[in-house]
Short mmCIF file of all heavy atoms in Angstrom, two decimals:
data_model
loop_
_atom_site.label_atom_id
_atom_site.label_comp_id
_atom_site.label_asym_id
_atom_site.label_seq_id
_atom_site.Cartn_x
_atom_site.Cartn_y
_atom_site.Cartn_z
N ALA A 316 3.97 18.85 -13.52
CA ALA A 316 5.05 19.56 -14.20
C ALA A 316 4.88 19.52 -15.71
O ALA A 316 5.21 20.48 -16.40
CB ALA A 316 6.40 18.96 -13.81
N VAL A 317 4.36 18.42 -16.25
CA VAL A 317 4.31 18.24 -17.70
C VAL A 317 3.04 18.82 -18.32
O VAL A 317 3.10 19.42 -19.40
CB VAL A 317 4.45 16.73 -18.04
CG1 VAL A 317 4.19 16.48 -19.51
CG2 VAL A 317 5.84 16.24 -17.66
N ILE A 318 1.91 18.67 -17.67
CA ILE A 318 0.63 19.10 -18.26
C ILE A 318 0.64 20.60 -18.62
O ILE A 318 0.23 20.96 -19.73
CB ILE A 318 -0.55 18.72 -17.35
CG1 ILE A 318 -0.77 17.20 -17.44
CG2 ILE A 318 -1.82 19.47 -17.74
CD1 ILE A 318 -1.81 16.67 -16.49
N PRO A 319 1.09 21.49 -17.75
CA PRO A 319 1.12 22.90 -18.18
C PRO A 319 2.01 23.15 -19.39
O PRO A 319 1.71 24.01 -20.22
CB PRO A 319 1.67 23.63 -16.94
CG PRO A 319 1.35 22.75 -15.81
CD PRO A 319 1.43 21.35 -16.35
N LEU A 320 3.09 22.38 -19.51
CA LEU A 320 3.96 22.56 -20.67
C LEU A 320 3.25 22.15 -21.96
O LEU A 320 3.49 22.72 -23.03
CB LEU A 320 5.24 21.74 -20.52
CG LEU A 320 6.16 22.16 -19.37
CD1 LEU A 320 7.31 21.18 -19.23
CD2 LEU A 320 6.68 23.56 -19.59
N LEU A 321 2.36 21.16 -21.87
CA LEU A 321 1.64 20.70 -23.05
C LEU A 321 0.44 21.59 -23.37
O LEU A 321 0.07 21.74 -24.53
CB LEU A 321 1.17 19.26 -22.84
CG LEU A 321 2.28 18.22 -22.66
CD1 LEU A 321 1.68 16.86 -22.34
CD2 LEU A 321 3.15 18.15 -23.90
N LEU A 322 -0.18 22.15 -22.34
CA LEU A 322 -1.40 22.92 -22.56
C LEU A 322 -1.13 24.36 -23.00
O LEU A 322 -1.93 24.94 -23.74
CB LEU A 322 -2.25 22.94 -21.28
CG LEU A 322 -2.84 21.59 -20.88
CD1 LEU A 322 -3.64 21.72 -19.59
CD2 LEU A 322 -3.70 21.01 -21.98
N VAL A 323 -0.06 24.95 -22.57
CA VAL A 323 0.25 26.34 -22.91
C VAL A 323 1.04 26.34 -24.21
O VAL A 323 2.19 25.92 -24.27
CB VAL A 323 1.05 27.03 -21.79
CG1 VAL A 323 1.38 28.44 -22.17
CG2 VAL A 323 0.27 26.98 -20.48
N LYS A 324 0.40 26.81 -25.27
CA LYS A 324 1.04 26.84 -26.60
C LYS A 324 1.75 28.17 -26.80
O LYS A 324 1.35 29.19 -26.27
CB LYS A 324 -0.01 26.66 -27.70
CG LYS A 324 -0.81 25.39 -27.58
CD LYS A 324 0.04 24.19 -27.90
CE LYS A 324 -0.82 22.94 -27.81
NZ LYS A 324 -0.06 21.73 -27.83
N ASN A 325 2.79 28.14 -27.61
CA ASN A 325 3.56 29.34 -27.98
C ASN A 325 3.99 30.15 -26.75
O ASN A 325 3.79 31.35 -26.68
CB ASN A 325 2.75 30.23 -28.93
CG ASN A 325 2.44 29.52 -30.21
OD1 ASN A 325 3.22 28.69 -30.66
ND2 ASN A 325 1.29 29.81 -30.77
N SER A 326 4.54 29.46 -25.82
CA SER A 326 4.97 30.16 -24.62
C SER A 326 6.49 30.10 -24.49
O SER A 326 7.13 29.16 -24.93
CB SER A 326 4.34 29.52 -23.38
OG SER A 326 4.75 28.18 -23.29
N GLU A 327 7.00 31.14 -23.92
CA GLU A 327 8.43 31.17 -23.63
C GLU A 327 8.58 31.24 -22.13
O GLU A 327 7.93 32.05 -21.47
CB GLU A 327 9.09 32.38 -24.28
CG GLU A 327 9.35 32.20 -25.74
CD GLU A 327 10.27 33.29 -26.27
OE1 GLU A 327 11.15 33.75 -25.53
OE2 GLU A 327 10.07 33.67 -27.44
N PHE A 328 9.41 30.39 -21.60
CA PHE A 328 9.63 30.38 -20.17
C PHE A 328 10.98 31.01 -19.89
O PHE A 328 12.01 30.52 -20.31
CB PHE A 328 9.60 28.94 -19.64
CG PHE A 328 8.26 28.29 -19.82
CD1 PHE A 328 8.03 27.42 -20.86
CD2 PHE A 328 7.23 28.57 -18.95
CE1 PHE A 328 6.80 26.83 -21.04
CE2 PHE A 328 5.99 27.99 -19.12
CZ PHE A 328 5.77 27.12 -20.17
N GLY A 329 10.94 32.13 -19.23
CA GLY A 329 12.17 32.82 -18.88
C GLY A 329 12.54 32.56 -17.43
O GLY A 329 11.78 31.98 -16.66
N GLY A 330 13.70 33.03 -17.09
CA GLY A 330 14.16 32.83 -15.73
C GLY A 330 13.73 33.98 -14.82
O GLY A 330 13.25 35.02 -15.27
N ALA A 331 13.90 33.76 -13.55
CA ALA A 331 13.56 34.77 -12.56
C ALA A 331 14.48 35.99 -12.66
O ALA A 331 14.06 37.11 -12.36
CB ALA A 331 13.62 34.18 -11.17
N ASP A 332 15.72 35.77 -13.11
CA ASP A 332 16.64 36.89 -13.23
C ASP A 332 16.14 37.92 -14.24
O ASP A 332 16.19 39.12 -14.00
CB ASP A 332 18.02 36.40 -13.66
CG ASP A 332 18.69 35.54 -12.61
OD1 ASP A 332 18.25 35.59 -11.44
OD2 ASP A 332 19.65 34.83 -12.95
N GLY A 333 15.65 37.44 -15.38
CA GLY A 333 15.15 38.35 -16.41
C GLY A 333 13.92 39.11 -15.94
O GLY A 333 13.79 40.31 -16.21
N VAL A 334 13.03 38.42 -15.24
CA VAL A 334 11.82 39.07 -14.74
C VAL A 334 12.18 40.12 -13.69
O VAL A 334 11.64 41.23 -13.68
CB VAL A 334 10.85 38.02 -14.16
CG1 VAL A 334 9.65 38.68 -13.51
CG2 VAL A 334 10.40 37.06 -15.25
N ALA A 335 13.12 39.78 -12.82
CA ALA A 335 13.54 40.72 -11.79
C ALA A 335 14.21 41.94 -12.41
O ALA A 335 13.96 43.09 -12.00
CB ALA A 335 14.49 40.04 -10.81
N GLU A 336 15.04 41.71 -13.42
CA GLU A 336 15.71 42.83 -14.10
C GLU A 336 14.68 43.75 -14.76
O GLU A 336 14.79 44.98 -14.69
CB GLU A 336 16.67 42.27 -15.14
CG GLU A 336 17.54 43.31 -15.79
CD GLU A 336 18.53 42.69 -16.76
OE1 GLU A 336 18.90 41.51 -16.58
OE2 GLU A 336 18.92 43.37 -17.71
N GLU A 337 13.67 43.16 -15.36
CA GLU A 337 12.60 43.94 -15.99
C GLU A 337 11.84 44.76 -14.96
O GLU A 337 11.55 45.94 -15.17
CB GLU A 337 11.65 42.97 -16.70
CG GLU A 337 10.96 43.52 -17.91
CD GLU A 337 10.21 42.43 -18.63
OE1 GLU A 337 10.83 41.65 -19.36
OE2 GLU A 337 8.99 42.35 -18.41
N ALA A 338 11.51 44.13 -13.83
CA ALA A 338 10.76 44.83 -12.78
C ALA A 338 11.58 45.98 -12.20
O ALA A 338 11.05 47.06 -11.94
CB ALA A 338 10.37 43.84 -11.68
N ILE A 339 12.87 45.75 -12.00
CA ILE A 339 13.72 46.81 -11.45
C ILE A 339 13.82 47.97 -12.42
O ILE A 339 13.75 49.14 -12.03
CB ILE A 339 15.13 46.25 -11.11
CG1 ILE A 339 15.04 45.33 -9.91
CG2 ILE A 339 16.11 47.38 -10.85
CD1 ILE A 339 16.30 44.56 -9.63
N SER A 340 13.93 47.67 -13.71
CA SER A 340 14.03 48.75 -14.69
C SER A 340 12.73 49.55 -14.78
O SER A 340 12.75 50.74 -15.11
CB SER A 340 14.43 48.21 -16.06
OG SER A 340 13.42 47.40 -16.58
N GLU A 341 11.60 48.92 -14.49
CA GLU A 341 10.33 49.64 -14.47
C GLU A 341 10.19 50.51 -13.23
O GLU A 341 9.74 51.65 -13.30
CB GLU A 341 9.15 48.66 -14.53
CG GLU A 341 8.93 48.05 -15.89
CD GLU A 341 7.78 47.06 -15.87
OE1 GLU A 341 6.96 47.10 -14.93
OE2 GLU A 341 7.71 46.25 -16.80
N VAL A 342 10.59 49.95 -12.09
CA VAL A 342 10.42 50.66 -10.82
C VAL A 342 11.45 51.78 -10.67
O VAL A 342 11.12 52.89 -10.25
CB VAL A 342 10.53 49.66 -9.64
CG1 VAL A 342 10.54 50.39 -8.30
CG2 VAL A 342 9.40 48.66 -9.69
N ALA A 343 12.70 51.49 -10.99
CA ALA A 343 13.78 52.46 -10.82
C ALA A 343 14.65 52.45 -12.07
O ALA A 343 15.64 51.72 -12.14
CB ALA A 343 14.61 52.14 -9.59
N PRO A 344 14.29 53.25 -13.09
CA PRO A 344 15.03 53.21 -14.36
C PRO A 344 16.49 53.65 -14.24
O PRO A 344 17.33 53.24 -15.04
CB PRO A 344 14.26 54.17 -15.26
CG PRO A 344 13.10 54.66 -14.52
CD PRO A 344 13.16 54.15 -13.13
N ASN A 345 16.83 54.44 -13.22
CA ASN A 345 18.21 54.92 -13.07
C ASN A 345 19.03 54.06 -12.11
O ASN A 345 20.12 54.47 -11.70
CB ASN A 345 18.21 56.37 -12.58
CG ASN A 345 17.57 57.28 -13.60
OD1 ASN A 345 17.68 57.05 -14.80
ND2 ASN A 345 16.88 58.30 -13.14
N TYR A 346 18.53 52.92 -11.75
CA TYR A 346 19.22 52.05 -10.79
C TYR A 346 20.51 51.49 -11.41
O TYR A 346 20.51 51.05 -12.56
CB TYR A 346 18.31 50.89 -10.41
CG TYR A 346 18.97 49.89 -9.51
CD1 TYR A 346 19.15 50.13 -8.16
CD2 TYR A 346 19.45 48.68 -10.03
CE1 TYR A 346 19.76 49.22 -7.34
CE2 TYR A 346 20.07 47.75 -9.21
CZ TYR A 346 20.22 48.03 -7.87
OH TYR A 346 20.83 47.12 -7.06
N THR A 347 21.57 51.55 -10.64
CA THR A 347 22.84 50.94 -11.07
C THR A 347 23.18 49.85 -10.06
O THR A 347 23.12 50.09 -8.84
CB THR A 347 23.98 51.96 -11.14
OG1 THR A 347 24.10 52.61 -9.88
CG2 THR A 347 23.74 52.98 -12.22
N PRO A 348 23.53 48.68 -10.52
CA PRO A 348 23.85 47.59 -9.59
C PRO A 348 25.04 47.96 -8.71
O PRO A 348 25.99 48.59 -9.16
CB PRO A 348 24.19 46.43 -10.51
CG PRO A 348 23.67 46.79 -11.85
CD PRO A 348 23.59 48.28 -11.91
N TRP A 349 24.98 47.57 -7.45
CA TRP A 349 26.05 47.88 -6.50
C TRP A 349 27.07 46.75 -6.42
O TRP A 349 28.08 46.87 -5.75
CB TRP A 349 25.49 48.15 -5.11
CG TRP A 349 24.66 47.02 -4.56
CD1 TRP A 349 23.34 46.82 -4.76
CD2 TRP A 349 25.12 45.94 -3.77
NE1 TRP A 349 22.93 45.67 -4.14
CE2 TRP A 349 24.02 45.11 -3.51
CE3 TRP A 349 26.35 45.57 -3.24
CZ2 TRP A 349 24.12 43.95 -2.76
CZ3 TRP A 349 26.44 44.41 -2.49
CH2 TRP A 349 25.33 43.62 -2.25
N PHE A 350 26.83 45.66 -7.13
CA PHE A 350 27.72 44.52 -7.06
C PHE A 350 27.85 43.91 -8.46
O PHE A 350 26.87 43.79 -9.17
CB PHE A 350 27.15 43.47 -6.11
CG PHE A 350 27.99 42.26 -5.93
CD1 PHE A 350 29.09 42.29 -5.07
CD2 PHE A 350 27.73 41.09 -6.61
CE1 PHE A 350 29.87 41.19 -4.89
CE2 PHE A 350 28.51 39.97 -6.43
CZ PHE A 350 29.60 40.03 -5.56
N ALA A 351 29.07 43.59 -8.83
CA ALA A 351 29.30 42.93 -10.11
C ALA A 351 29.72 41.49 -9.86
O ALA A 351 30.41 41.20 -8.87
CB ALA A 351 30.40 43.66 -10.88
N PRO A 352 29.30 40.56 -10.70
CA PRO A 352 29.70 39.17 -10.50
C PRO A 352 31.22 39.01 -10.58
O PRO A 352 31.89 39.73 -11.33
CB PRO A 352 29.02 38.41 -11.64
CG PRO A 352 28.25 39.38 -12.43
CD PRO A 352 28.45 40.74 -11.87
N LEU A 353 31.74 38.08 -9.80
CA LEU A 353 33.19 37.84 -9.80
C LEU A 353 33.66 37.22 -11.11
O LEU A 353 34.74 37.50 -11.59
CB LEU A 353 33.57 36.94 -8.63
CG LEU A 353 33.25 37.51 -7.24
CD1 LEU A 353 33.57 36.49 -6.16
CD2 LEU A 353 34.02 38.80 -7.01
N ALA A 354 32.83 36.35 -11.67
CA ALA A 354 33.18 35.70 -12.94
C ALA A 354 31.96 35.73 -13.84
O ALA A 354 30.84 35.48 -13.40
CB ALA A 354 33.62 34.27 -12.71
N GLN A 355 32.16 36.03 -15.07
CA GLN A 355 31.06 36.09 -16.05
C GLN A 355 31.21 34.91 -17.00
O GLN A 355 32.28 34.76 -17.61
CB GLN A 355 31.14 37.42 -16.81
CG GLN A 355 29.95 37.71 -17.66
CD GLN A 355 28.75 38.16 -16.84
OE1 GLN A 355 28.88 38.53 -15.69
NE2 GLN A 355 27.58 38.07 -17.43
N PRO A 356 30.19 34.05 -17.14
CA PRO A 356 30.30 32.94 -18.08
C PRO A 356 30.46 33.46 -19.51
O PRO A 356 29.90 34.50 -19.86
CB PRO A 356 28.99 32.18 -17.93
CG PRO A 356 28.27 32.78 -16.80
CD PRO A 356 28.93 34.05 -16.44
N PRO A 357 31.23 32.76 -20.34
CA PRO A 357 31.50 33.27 -21.68
C PRO A 357 30.27 33.30 -22.60
O PRO A 357 30.26 34.03 -23.58
CB PRO A 357 32.56 32.32 -22.23
CG PRO A 357 32.51 31.13 -21.36
CD PRO A 357 31.95 31.54 -20.05
N GLY A 358 29.24 32.52 -22.30
CA GLY A 358 28.08 32.52 -23.17
C GLY A 358 26.88 31.89 -22.51
O GLY A 358 26.96 31.39 -21.38
N GLY A 359 25.77 31.91 -23.21
CA GLY A 359 24.54 31.35 -22.68
C GLY A 359 24.60 29.86 -22.47
O GLY A 359 23.99 29.32 -21.54
N GLU A 360 25.33 29.17 -23.35
CA GLU A 360 25.43 27.71 -23.20
C GLU A 360 26.21 27.34 -21.95
O GLU A 360 25.87 26.38 -21.26
CB GLU A 360 26.08 27.12 -24.44
CG GLU A 360 25.21 27.24 -25.67
CD GLU A 360 25.89 26.72 -26.92
OE1 GLU A 360 27.02 26.24 -26.82
OE2 GLU A 360 25.27 26.82 -27.98
N THR A 361 27.25 28.08 -21.67
CA THR A 361 28.01 27.82 -20.45
C THR A 361 27.16 28.09 -19.22
O THR A 361 27.20 27.34 -18.24
CB THR A 361 29.28 28.70 -20.42
OG1 THR A 361 30.01 28.50 -21.61
CG2 THR A 361 30.14 28.38 -19.23
N GLU A 362 26.37 29.14 -19.30
CA GLU A 362 25.47 29.46 -18.20
C GLU A 362 24.46 28.32 -18.00
O GLU A 362 24.18 27.92 -16.87
CB GLU A 362 24.75 30.77 -18.53
CG GLU A 362 24.10 31.43 -17.35
CD GLU A 362 23.59 32.81 -17.73
OE1 GLU A 362 24.38 33.61 -18.26
OE2 GLU A 362 22.40 33.07 -17.51
N SER A 363 23.93 27.77 -19.10
CA SER A 363 23.01 26.64 -19.01
C SER A 363 23.70 25.42 -18.44
O SER A 363 23.12 24.68 -17.64
CB SER A 363 22.43 26.31 -20.38
OG SER A 363 21.68 27.38 -20.87
N LEU A 364 24.95 25.19 -18.85
CA LEU A 364 25.71 24.06 -18.33
C LEU A 364 25.90 24.20 -16.82
O LEU A 364 25.70 23.24 -16.07
CB LEU A 364 27.07 23.96 -19.02
CG LEU A 364 28.04 22.96 -18.41
CD1 LEU A 364 27.58 21.54 -18.69
CD2 LEU A 364 29.44 23.18 -18.92
N LEU A 365 26.27 25.38 -16.37
CA LEU A 365 26.46 25.59 -14.94
C LEU A 365 25.15 25.40 -14.17
O LEU A 365 25.14 24.83 -13.08
CB LEU A 365 27.03 26.99 -14.68
CG LEU A 365 28.45 27.21 -15.17
CD1 LEU A 365 28.85 28.67 -15.00
CD2 LEU A 365 29.43 26.31 -14.44
N PHE A 366 24.04 25.85 -14.75
CA PHE A 366 22.75 25.66 -14.12
C PHE A 366 22.42 24.17 -14.03
O PHE A 366 21.92 23.69 -13.00
CB PHE A 366 21.66 26.40 -14.90
CG PHE A 366 20.32 26.34 -14.25
CD1 PHE A 366 20.03 27.13 -13.15
CD2 PHE A 366 19.34 25.49 -14.74
CE1 PHE A 366 18.79 27.07 -12.54
CE2 PHE A 366 18.10 25.42 -14.14
CZ PHE A 366 17.83 26.22 -13.04
N ALA A 367 22.70 23.41 -15.11
CA ALA A 367 22.43 21.97 -15.10
C ALA A 367 23.30 21.25 -14.08
O ALA A 367 22.83 20.35 -13.37
CB ALA A 367 22.65 21.39 -16.49
N VAL A 368 24.56 21.66 -13.97
CA VAL A 368 25.45 21.05 -12.98
C VAL A 368 24.95 21.35 -11.57
O VAL A 368 24.92 20.48 -10.70
CB VAL A 368 26.90 21.56 -13.17
CG1 VAL A 368 27.78 21.17 -12.00
CG2 VAL A 368 27.48 21.00 -14.46
N GLN A 369 24.51 22.57 -11.36
CA GLN A 369 23.97 22.95 -10.06
C GLN A 369 22.72 22.12 -9.74
O GLN A 369 22.57 21.63 -8.61
CB GLN A 369 23.62 24.43 -10.07
CG GLN A 369 23.01 24.94 -8.80
CD GLN A 369 22.57 26.39 -8.93
OE1 GLN A 369 22.72 27.01 -9.97
NE2 GLN A 369 22.04 26.93 -7.86
N ALA A 370 21.84 21.94 -10.71
CA ALA A 370 20.63 21.13 -10.49
C ALA A 370 21.00 19.68 -10.22
O ALA A 370 20.40 19.03 -9.35
CB ALA A 370 19.71 21.23 -11.70
N ALA A 371 21.98 19.14 -10.95
CA ALA A 371 22.39 17.76 -10.74
C ALA A 371 22.99 17.57 -9.35
O ALA A 371 22.71 16.57 -8.67
CB ALA A 371 23.38 17.33 -11.81
N LEU A 372 23.81 18.52 -8.92
CA LEU A 372 24.39 18.42 -7.58
C LEU A 372 23.30 18.50 -6.51
O LEU A 372 23.33 17.75 -5.53
CB LEU A 372 25.41 19.53 -7.36
CG LEU A 372 26.73 19.36 -8.09
CD1 LEU A 372 27.60 20.61 -7.93
CD2 LEU A 372 27.47 18.14 -7.58
#
Side-chain angles (χ1 to χ4, degrees):
V317 171
I318 287 174
L320 295 174
L321 298 175
L322 293 179
V323 178
K324 303 290 181 192
N325 298 328
S326 61
E327 282 193 33
F328 296 100
D332 293 343
V334 174
E336 187 177 333
E337 209 172 281
I339 289 171
S340 66
E341 285 179 18
V342 173
N345 297 327
Y346 176 78
T347 55
W349 57 273
F350 182 80
L353 298 176
Q355 190 75 17
E360 292 177 2
T361 306
E362 197 172 307
S363 297
L364 171 71
L365 292 174
F366 185 76
V368 169
Q369 178 185 1
L372 287 173

